[in-house]
Amino acid sequence: MLKRKIEKTLLDWKNNKDKKPLVIKGCRQCGKTSSVLKFANENYKSVIYINFIEHPEYKLLFADSLDVNEITKKMSSLHNFKFSDNSHDTILIFDEIQYCGNARTSLKFFKIDGRYDVIATGSLLGVRGVGEEVVSIPVGFETNINMYPMDFEEFLWANGINDAVISDLKKKFENAEKIDEATHKKFKQILLSYIIVGGMPSAVDKYIKTNKYDEVLTIQKDIISDYRDDVIKYAKNTDKIKILECFDSITAQLSKENKKFQYSVVKKGRKARDYDGCIEWLINAGIVVKCNNLNTLELPFDGNADKDCFKIYMQDIGLLIAMFEKGTQFDILSNNLYTYKGAIYENLAADILSKMERKLYYYRKDSGLEIDFAIRYKNECTPIEIKSNNEMAKSMRTVLKNENIYHIKNGIKFGDYNIGKDGKLLTAPLYAMFFLSE
């Protein structure tokens, strides 16, 4: 069973005496159900698992009264669910809760009742309700968290890298100390595997068990196909084709020198108004992440962001690679990519940063000066440059040399380097990006 960070979150939630029902939202197949069931079976005597897709008849449990006694009585008598004598040893799991609006509403009454621990999971595609379901969100009576595909640190765990090794590397990053060559080489190789495999648990599990990228690719292609099917199933009829057009344009958008998302690349002659809401649909589904351009390199970022000027990246780097033709995986491992290599590493950065729940921002001026990402790090605006090779970061140098204009004190350049410091500029290997957790 793959180790996930959400395991600690779930345990902390269980130990909170004043906990509310927990709603876990995330994209399809990111591991919500398996993680919750693992946690429940390890920490409770009685696990009541209800999946509203597999068993739509379970919706009848919530059809009439939302009184907790009535609901649990139906569960026991009609469906033979076994409750522990001590109610606090029982957990109820409502999986795919977006298919039962009344079950979502019932979370308020489970909180007021207080006898049972309750976890609900739902796809971002429809956590507010599917089809004709009308969902009354019990505001103030539930705790919401987001779950993502596996991040790079979780991928390291899956590959047998322990916390002591990771902690030692983090200290070296923070102190700008060089990493020994053997460790450096090993982590570079693991990062290449992560670029290809990504973080979808089924893909990671297949890779760990077989070490065969072609079998991983088959799983990734199936996930992408499922995403496309979801557009047809969930999106409004007027938006289905347009959303798919936006999705299919992602690889072409990233191949441009200026990776700003352009609707004319989606379809010649089209404007933003032609695709109103389509990008937001893909974002809300957890398929892509948005990176807004900043008007100035200053905090707070949201106040400086241009909402109409943005880049789009795939949420999961492995799924991006799977969108290319077969053989791209070999090109990555063989270092045979040239024109597209920079875009892949930018998407890698977007993957790592967004899975930390960081909003993404970049900075570009008409003069051509461009900073790949800007983040709040150690409570400062910190520009980040992503390089696929040892090339100079001209824009970064310009920003750091002109502190009177940009007010930037330090910058970080990630690329094919070991760790080093050159004045205000920290250079670091690409695999060290996940240390930017502050």
Side-chain angles (χ1 to χ4, degrees), residues 95-110:
D95 204 0
E96 304 291 358
I97 197 170
Q98 69 271 20
Y99 283 88
C100 184
N102 282 341
R104 182 72 180 273
T105 305
S106 77
L107 298 183
K108 173 180 178 178
F109 303 102
F110 276 99

Side-chain angles (χ1 to χ4, degrees), residues 204-219:
V204 176
D205 186 61
K206 178 63 71 173
Y207 170 71
I208 297 300
K209 289 177 178 176
T210 68
N211 205 34
K212 294 180 179 178
Y213 291 116
D214 58 336
E215 294 188 20
V216 170
L217 180 61
T218 298
I219 291 173

Side-chain angles (χ1 to χ4, degrees), residues 373-404:
F373 296 94
I375 67 169
R376 181 188 288 268
Y377 182 62
K378 297 184 177 180
N379 212 31
E380 294 180 0
C381 172
T382 303
I384 303 293
E385 282 281 81
I386 308 298
K387 296 299 180 185
S388 57
N389 49 42
N390 293 321
E391 62 189 295
M392 292 288 291
K394 295 179 181 179
S395 293
M396 177 72 81
R397 296 286 184 187
T398 299
V399 167
L400 293 178
K401 283 180 180 179
N402 294 278
E403 188 175 341
N404 60 319

Side-chain angles (χ1 to χ4, degrees), residues 362-381:
Y362 75 106
Y363 179 66
R364 180 181 173 88
K365 296 178 68 175
D366 291 338
S367 63
L369 185 146
E370 182 168 358
I371 299 295
D372 295 326
F373 296 94
I375 67 169
R376 181 188 288 268
Y377 182 62
K378 297 184 177 180
N379 212 31
E380 294 180 0
C381 172

